Amino acid sequence: MRTARKTICIIIAAALSALALGQGAPSQIEAALLDLSARLGYGVDINNLSNWRWEQTNFPNDALGCPTASSGSAAAVLGYKFQLTHRAITHDYRVSNDSALVVYCGVIDPAAEAETASALAAQYSNRLCGEAATAGPYMRSRINVGMEAVAVGGNLNLRGQPSNDAQVLLQIPAAWPLLITGGPECVEGYVWWLALANGQTGYIAESGDGGIFVAPKSALKAPNREVLNKNLILYMSELGRISGNFQAAHDWSSNSRFLIVPGARGSDGVWVYDLHQPTLTPQILELDEGISALAFRPRNEQFVVGSDTGALQLWQILDGEPLTFSERLRLNAHAGSISALAFSADGERLASAGREAYTDFDVERDFAAIVWDLPTVAQHAVHSGNSGLIQAMVFSPVHSDVLTMVDDDWLRNWVTFSEDNRLIFDLQFGEPVTFLAFDYSDDGERLALALDRPFDNVLLYRYQQPEPEASFQTPTFKLTSLDFSPDGSMLVAGAAEGVFSIWDTVAHELLVSRATDGAVYDVSFSPDGTLVAVSTDRHSLILYGVPLGSG
C-alpha cells in the first residue's frame, strides 16, 4: 500500500543568492512573511532571512499540524510548513495551499534543536556497533574487515581481549601494517578490531576517548601521467591504491581534481580525495544517513548525495586546507533509499529514482523517477510506469532525454523536454541490462549497454536506433559497470569476477584486460583521460595509468 503523499522539503544555505532563494520558494511563503512583519512591527521579506526551509504536506485538519492551534474542521488540508530564521530567531509557520489559513506555531528553541542533533549524532556515531555495545557513543570507523591499516600517532597495543585492561601481546610501532581480520566490538567507548600484525593475532583499538589510533594507509598522489590512448593503454599499470571503509563506487569532478567515494556502514559520509595534494588523504563529510547513491554535478565542484531515507543533499566543496563543505539544498524526494541518480550534461537537471516519488504530478508514483530543475529547485518531470526499482539512469548528452534501467530486460527512453514527458521508445533484450553509459565526446550519440548473459554481453548502439552497431564478448560475464574514454575511442568494462577490460570502440577489439584482488563494481576514465579508476569490494579504489614519458 502506498504511503500518504508527504513532502518536498528543501533547505537552502544562506550562502545562496537572494535570486536563487526567490526562485526556490513557493508563493505561500509571502503569507507567512506578511504575518511575521505584522508581529514584528516592520517589513520582513525573503532577502532579510538568514536561512529558511519549507516542506509541503497534507495536514489532517485546519490546525495545519501546529500543536498550539485548535481545529474547527476534520477535513485534510494541503499546505506548507515554513521555518523562517530572522535575526537568529527561527519562526515556525503553517500556511494552507490557497494561503487562506496562516498559523503561527511560535519560535523554535535552538537549544532543543541542538539537543536533538546531539542525540542523533550519538545514535549514528557508528552503525557498526550493535546492541551489545556499552558506554558509547562511538567514533566512526575508517577501517573494516579485510583491509590493511596502519597505527598512527605512536605505539599501538595488540591485546588478548577487546579491553584496555587486557594483556598486551605486542607493541606495534606507528606505520606498521595491520591486516584487519574481524570485528568490530564496541566496548566502553572504544572500537576494537581483531588484527594480524607481525604474525601475531589480537585486538587493536581503532578509536576511543576522542582519539584515533588506526587508519587506512595514505597513498601517494599519482605521478604526472600521459593521456591514455589505444597505444599507451598496453603500458597501463597501477599508480596508486586508496583504502578505506567505503563502498565500491566513486565519481569524478569535471576537472579531474576530486574523487568522491560513498562511505560504507559505520563511516556514513562522503570520502573526498584531492588529487592535487601530495598524499591521497581523505577529507570526510560525515552524514547522519547511510548513502545509497552519489554523483558529481558536471561543471561544478558540487556533488549530490542520495540517502537510504530517500533524501537528496547537494554539497559544495570549499577550497582550503583542509577542505570544507557547504550544504546548498536538501530534497525529500522518495520513500526509501535513492536507487539511482543522474545529471544532465550541463548540470542543470538532476534525475532521482526510488521506491516512491513524492510529487504532486498526477502519475503512478511507485518506482517513478523525478527530474529536478536545479536553478528553480522545481520538479520538471516525473517518469512512471516502471515494474520495479530503477537501477541506473543516464541523460542523453545531446537530446537531454533520460534513459532508465530497471532490474529486468527493458531499457526505456523518456522525453524530458516536452509537455507530456512521454516514453518515446523502449528495447527488450531477453536478459537484464546491468549497466549503461553514453559516449560524451563530440557526437554524443553512442550508447553502450552491459547485459547479464555469457555471449555478446556489451552492445554499442547509435542513439534511438533499434539495432546495435557492434557487440563485444568480455573475458568475464557478470558486468557491473561501463565507461567511455573522454574522446570516445575506448570503453572500459568492469566485472564482478574481479576483471576489467578496455575495448577499441572503432575496431571493436579488446585492447587490454587486467585482474584485481577483488570484485569490480565501478570503473571509469578520469575526465582528463589520464587515469582509469577501479572500485572493488575489498574496500579499495585503484588508480591505473601510464607515467609521463613512458611507453
Side-chain angles (χ1 to χ4, degrees), residues 32 35 51 53 75 96 205 228 244 283 295 349 403 491 506 520 522 524:
D35 185 86
N51 200 2
R53 68 176 65 180
S96 62
L228 297 172
Q283 189 71 36
R349 302 240 165 142
L403 278 74
L491 179 74
V506 178
V520 176
D522 199 5
S524 69

Side-chain angles (χ1 to χ4, degrees), residues 57-67 69-71 73 75-81 92-105:
T57 188
N58 274 323
F59 297 108
N61 51 51
D62 58 3
L64 305 185
C66 183
S70 58
S71 172
S73 170
V77 179
L78 179 66
Y80 295 83
K81 298 179 183 179
D92 185 1
Y93 272 95
R94 315 297 167 88
V95 181
S96 62
N97 195 53
D98 59 5
S99 297
L101 298 174
V102 179
V103 180
Y104 181 59
C105 298

Side-chain angles (χ1 to χ4, degrees), residues 226-237 485 490-492 500-504 510-514 525 529-532 544-546 551:
E226 299 280 0
V227 175
L228 297 172
N229 58 42
K230 297 175 186 179
N231 296 320
L232 285 176
I233 206 74
L234 301 175
Y235 302 98
M236 183 181 64
S237 61
S485 61
M490 295 179 288
L491 179 74
V492 60
F500 70 96
S501 52
I502 299 177
W503 296 77
D504 183 328
L510 178 65
L511 295 171
V512 68
S513 180
R514 292 280 191 271
F525 283 93
T530 66
L531 289 170
V532 174
Y544 292 86
V546 177

Side-chain angles (χ1 to χ4, degrees), residues 27 43 113 130 171 217 220 228 298 301 325 382 389 400 433 501 545:
S27 61
E113 282 199 308
Q171 276 206 327
K217 183 179 179 180
L220 294 176
L228 297 172
E301 291 185 346
F325 310 95
V382 178
L389 276 175
S400 294
V433 180
S501 52

Side-chain angles (χ1 to χ4, degrees), residues 166-441:
Q167 178 188 2
V168 176
L169 305 176
L170 180 69
Q171 276 206 327
I172 304 169
W176 262 32
L178 306 163
L179 178 63
I180 308 302
T181 60
E185 295 191 34
C186 303
V187 181
E188 297 177 353
Y190 285 78
V191 180
W192 297 86
W193 297 86
L194 196 63
L196 176 65
N198 198 32
Q200 177 76 53
T201 297
Y203 287 92
I204 52 96
E206 177 193 4
S207 61
D209 197 24
I212 296 175
F213 318 120
V214 179
K217 183 179 179 180
S218 295
L220 294 176
K221 181 181 73 172
N224 292 332
R225 306 168 296 278
E226 299 280 0
V227 175
L228 297 172
N229 58 42
K230 297 175 186 179
N231 296 320
L232 285 176
I233 206 74
L234 301 175
Y235 302 98
M236 183 181 64
S237 61
E238 182 178 320
L239 300 183
R241 180 181 291 251
I242 302 167
S243 297
N245 184 28
F246 45 62
Q247 301 177 46
H250 64 267
D251 203 11
W252 293 91
S253 62
S254 296
N255 59 7
S256 297
R257 175 179 174 182
F258 296 109
L259 261 172
I260 53 174
V261 186
R265 184 176 179 86
S267 67
D268 297 324
V270 181
W271 297 50
V272 182
Y273 292 91
D274 183 352
L275 272 70
H276 289 181
Q277 296 300 315
T279 60
L280 297 178
T281 302
Q283 189 71 36
I284 301 179
L285 168 64
E286 292 192 348
L287 300 173
D288 289 336
E289 300 160 311
I291 298 175
S292 56
L294 186 65
F296 242 114
R297 185 180 185 182
R299 305 181 185 180
N300 289 270
E301 291 185 346
Q302 296 178 342
F303 56 85
V304 67
V305 178
S307 79
D308 55 13
T309 65
L312 302 173
Q313 293 171 276
L314 183 69
W315 290 88
Q316 174 78 46
I317 299 176
L318 304 177
D319 211 349
E321 185 58 45
L323 298 172
T324 55
F325 310 95
S326 171
E327 184 184 27
R328 293 305 174 91
L329 64 88
R330 179 183 173 95
L331 306 168
N332 192 9
H334 298 269
S337 296
I338 301 296
S339 61
L341 293 171
F343 275 105
S344 60
D346 60 7
E348 297 297 285
R349 302 240 165 142
L350 169 68
S352 65
R355 175 63 179 80
E356 177 188 2
Y358 290 147
T359 181
D360 285 328
F361 279 68
D362 187 17
V363 297
E364 173 60 44
R365 293 183 288 124
D366 283 345
F367 308 124
I370 303 173
V371 180
W372 305 87
D373 183 72
L374 291 180
T376 59
V377 200
Q379 292 187 2
H380 175 77
V382 178
H383 301 318
S384 64
N386 296 296
S387 59
L389 276 175
I390 294 172
Q391 302 296 330
M393 295 186 295
V394 64
F395 277 87
S396 159
V398 173
H399 305 279
S400 294
D401 300 342
V402 175
L403 278 74
T404 59
M405 181 196 82
V406 181
D407 190 16
D408 56 17
D409 55 357
W410 287 93
L411 178 72
R412 295 171 175 86
N413 189 175
W414 306 86
V415 172
T416 293
F417 286 81
S418 69
E419 292 183 359
D420 55 0
N421 304 303
R422 67 190 185 280
L423 175 67
I424 57 173
F425 80 87
D426 50 19
L427 294 173
Q428 187 175 24
F429 298 96
E431 293 84 19
V433 180
T434 61
F435 206 82
L436 63 162
F438 259 106
D439 172 10
Y440 278 76
S441 60

